[in-house]
Amino acid sequence: MSENEHEAKMARPRMAAGALFFDESDRVLLVEPSYKDYRDIPGGYVEEGESPRQACVREVQEELGIAPHIGRLLAVDWAPNPGEGDKVLYLFDGGRLSAEDRRQIALQAEELRGYDFHDAVQVSDLTIPRLARRISAGIKARTNGLTLYLEHGESPTRES
């Protein structure tokens, strides 16, 4: 196989990064994008030359207007999408937002209609299934001090 043939077979996934933020009642923050019909987490695509964590920090600042500490990696999710191709999604721990942090939130008006905190059991009613699974796995990883590998928001089953 020539170098060009080998390179042509290599995956070139899009990458995105987001963060889970919580309030003092351990409810998770979801944003309401103006361009989607479901809730999402703060975050977005990784730009050229940027690490997933840097992208997460930038996207949170752009979308929420705040710069809280972005903590450890909670999960990596292989989540190809028929309309967008191969995707790798990174989920970071944004931690607990203080009352002061919440007062300073200034939504990016072009992209977001609103935000709110929700109990974990409500998430599946507010967003698409693969994102709900990713959020649930991220909450589990945060609680148990884990970093998880996911495929479409789920831990892959062991093949026999």
Side-chain angles (χ1 to χ4, degrees), residues 18-20 53 56 69-76 90-95 137-148:
L20 294 183
R53 186 177 176 285
C56 185
H69 173 74
I70 301 298
R72 69 184 189 80
L73 180 66
L74 298 173
V76 176
Y90 296 86
L91 185 59
F92 292 92
D93 186 357
I139 292 170
K140 176 184 175 183
R142 183 176 188 259
T143 300
N144 296 315
L146 303 172
T147 301
L148 301 175

Side-chain angles (χ1 to χ4, degrees), residues 22-115:
F22 300 87
D23 67 5
E24 63 281 344
S25 299
D26 283 330
R27 298 177 304 164
V28 66
L29 182 140
L30 297 178
V31 295
E32 189 177 350
S34 57
Y35 55 92
K36 293 180 179 177
D37 61 355
Y38 58 88
R39 305 289 167 86
D40 206 342
I41 59 172
Y45 283 106
V46 177
E47 295 179 354
E48 190 171 333
E50 187 175 53
S51 76
R53 186 177 176 285
Q54 289 169 329
C56 185
V57 168
R58 176 184 50 76
E59 287 285 345
V60 166
Q61 289 175 337
E62 289 175 3
E63 293 181 356
L64 302 180
I66 58 174
H69 173 74
I70 301 298
R72 69 184 189 80
L73 180 66
L74 298 173
V76 176
D77 192 6
W78 171 250
N81 179 306
E84 298 178 324
D86 291 344
K87 288 172 67 173
V88 178
L89 308 170
Y90 296 86
L91 185 59
F92 292 92
D93 186 357
R96 184 168 283 134
L97 291 179
S98 69
E100 179 63 23
D101 288 331
R102 295 193 309 271
R103 278 192 294 278
Q104 292 179 11
I105 290 176
L107 295 178
Q108 184 179 31
E110 314 84 61
E111 288 191 21
L112 300 178
R113 288 191 293 257
Y115 77 94

